Amino acid sequence: MKVLVTGGAGYIGSHTVKALRRAGHLPIALDDLREGHEPALLGAPLVRAAVQDRAAVERVLREEHVEGVMHFAAYCYVGESVRSPLAYYENNVLGTLRLAEACAAAGVRFFVLSSSAAVYGEPDRQPIEEEIPCRPVNPYGRTKRVAEELLADLAAASELRPIFLRYFNAAGADPDGELGEDHRLETHLIPCALLAALGRRPALSVFGADYPTPDGTCVRDFVHVTDLADAHLKALEFARSGGSCRAFNLGNGRGFSVQEVVDAARRVTGGDFPVAQEGRRPGDPPVLVASSQRARAELSWQPRHGDLDEIVRTAWDWYRRHPNGYC
Ligand code: UFG
């Protein structure tokens, strides 16, 4: 299938482009390269345009006879979304709206949206199931929820079959070592720990040790980026066989604390990088762990890289080989 992958030169997008090619599909990346990296496409075709550029998007959908869209292009930092909410609505909501218009005009039916655990907010029951009410607590989570709702409303009025994939903590890197995580503004735990191990940051800050968790640090569900990529292929098949407007959590169903991640990063890197204990980071829920039963049952999705050390090791291998990222 010809698949347009918005944000295809980004972290999860590029791993998915690779997985699509490997499975015999024909991905076309659409990326304005503000955040993405052309080398991450490994030679896959690129249309250099913003997702808000409806005319450019519609043109490629029509000219290339695209049947499916995977929509990754979005801003993804909770803290930044609190400081610059309108930029998030512009990029994440308006971008999805323009893309949806182009899909409707070009008759694209299959659509996989990159959504997030951030749509749930701070639920009091764990592991999190898809049925619980979505009560996002920050602009980032709200933009993802609005994107889901917008697509669901369009699906009710058209042939579009959107699938919503709610990732927990995406982590790790391509086990072949070709792709990795290279963000403009790195704030995620595992990359920050590895950058400290490489000496590119003076220390890893640990935000909060007084949470109601076994060791006092926050607990998260880390899911390998290659497993996320695989879930996108399965979601496409699900839409193709009639599925529509279904949300799926993507996580391993197992939580690891920030301290456990620090320990894993020390084991994998063999280094005793400095850690600075800081206060809580505003907006961090104590525990976020997925129930991914629905994805396992309905998509036949089976994460293959759930081991924390393996997740950290694949990320570390890439950082060691690419100490300056893709440049
Ligand atoms: N953390 C540190 N030090 C750091 C970075 C993070 O202690 O340098 C802690 C955070 O406080 C948090 C945990 O590590 O407790 C995980 O933080 P990340 O920033 O790696 O990830 P988040 O859980 O905040 O964010 C992830 C996704 C978001 C998504 C969110 C859903 O990256 O896109 O889950 O709540 F919105």
Side-chain angles (χ1 to χ4, degrees):
M1 193 192 284
K2 268 205 178 159
V3 183
L4 188 76
V5 183
T6 77
Y11 171 46
I12 307 173
S14 61
H15 284 77
T16 305
V17 166
K18 178 171 175 174
L20 282 162
R21 291 170 89 191
R22 191 169 264 180
H25 294 292
L26 298 169
I28 302 167
L30 183 116
D31 201 302
D32 61 9
L33 302 181
R34 266 186 305 169
E35 310 271 338
H37 308 275
E38 194 166 356
L41 289 170
L42 305 175
L46 166 71
V47 175
R48 190 169 179 175
V51 76
Q52 290 91 340
D53 184 347
R54 178 175 157 187
V57 176
E58 195 178 323
R59 198 177 316 120
V60 61
L61 292 177
R62 285 184 189 280
E63 284 177 2
E64 297 289 341
H65 305 290
V66 167
E67 288 177 84
V69 166
M70 295 186 176
H71 181 31
F72 294 92
Y75 290 148
C76 65
Y77 297 102
V78 172
E80 189 180 60
S81 79
V82 175
R83 292 189 298 277
S84 307
L86 296 185
Y88 273 67
Y89 280 91
E90 207 272 335
N91 204 30
N92 297 4
V93 175
L94 194 60
T96 304
L97 174 66
R98 293 285 172 255
L99 179 62
E101 285 173 346
C103 288
V108 171
R109 294 175 69 198
F110 311 121
F111 194 108
V112 183
L113 174 72
S114 165
S115 189
S116 168
V119 299
Y120 295 114
E122 301 184 10
D124 40 25
R125 260 191 310 139
Q126 306 279 341
I128 298 168
E129 293 174 345
E130 290 86 348
E131 280 85 12
I132 69 156
C134 289
R135 296 200 184 97
V137 293
N138 51 58
Y140 170 68
R142 278 189 280 276
T143 63
K144 288 291 179 181
R145 183 61 185 145
V146 174
E148 292 185 356
E149 289 179 322
L150 176 166
L151 291 167
D153 285 340
L154 177 59
S158 73
E159 296 290 302
L160 190 78
R161 293 185 193 164
I163 307 296
F164 315 126
L165 298 183
R166 297 175 177 163
Y167 319 148
F168 281 63
N169 287 65
D174 172 27
D176 302 336
E178 292 184 311
L179 303 170
E181 188 168 6
D182 182 4
H183 286 125
R184 154 183 67 94
L185 178 77
E186 194 49 82
T187 62
H188 292 126
L189 177 61
I190 292 175
C192 287
L194 299 180
L195 291 170
L198 277 172
R200 283 178 53 196
R201 297 207 173 166
L204 171 71
S205 299
V206 168
F207 300 125
D210 57 349
Y211 285 97
T213 58
D215 65 21
T217 63
C218 287
V219 171
R220 292 291 180 273
D221 185 336
F222 296 91
V223 54
H224 196 279
V225 63
T226 299
D227 287 328
L228 291 180
D230 178 48
H232 285 75
L233 272 66
K234 294 195 154 63
L236 192 63
E237 288 309 316
F238 180 80
R240 246 176 155 179
S241 50
S244 181
C245 284
R246 197 85 169 130
F248 295 96
N249 288 342
L250 299 179
N252 280 302
R254 169 144 188 232
F256 290 100
S257 72
V258 171
Q259 185 57 51
E260 286 176 302
V261 172
V262 172
D263 295 342
R266 287 194 162 137
R267 270 195 304 276
V268 167
T269 64
D272 197 15
F273 54 85
V275 168
Q277 186 60 58
E278 314 261 354
R280 292 184 180 197
R281 191 173 72 173
D284 276 339
V287 180
L288 287 175
V289 177
S291 162
S292 295
Q293 285 314 314
R294 183 185 283 181
R296 289 170 195 259
E298 297 182 22
L299 301 181
S300 306
W301 179 64
Q302 181 67 48
R304 293 181 199 286
H305 308 279
D307 177 68
L308 181 61
D309 281 27
E310 184 187 348
I311 290 173
V312 175
R313 190 176 312 108
T314 54
W316 176 239
D317 285 348
W318 194 79
Y319 273 115
R320 262 193 322 180
R321 286 196 213 136
H322 303 83
N324 299 310
Y326 281 106
C327 349

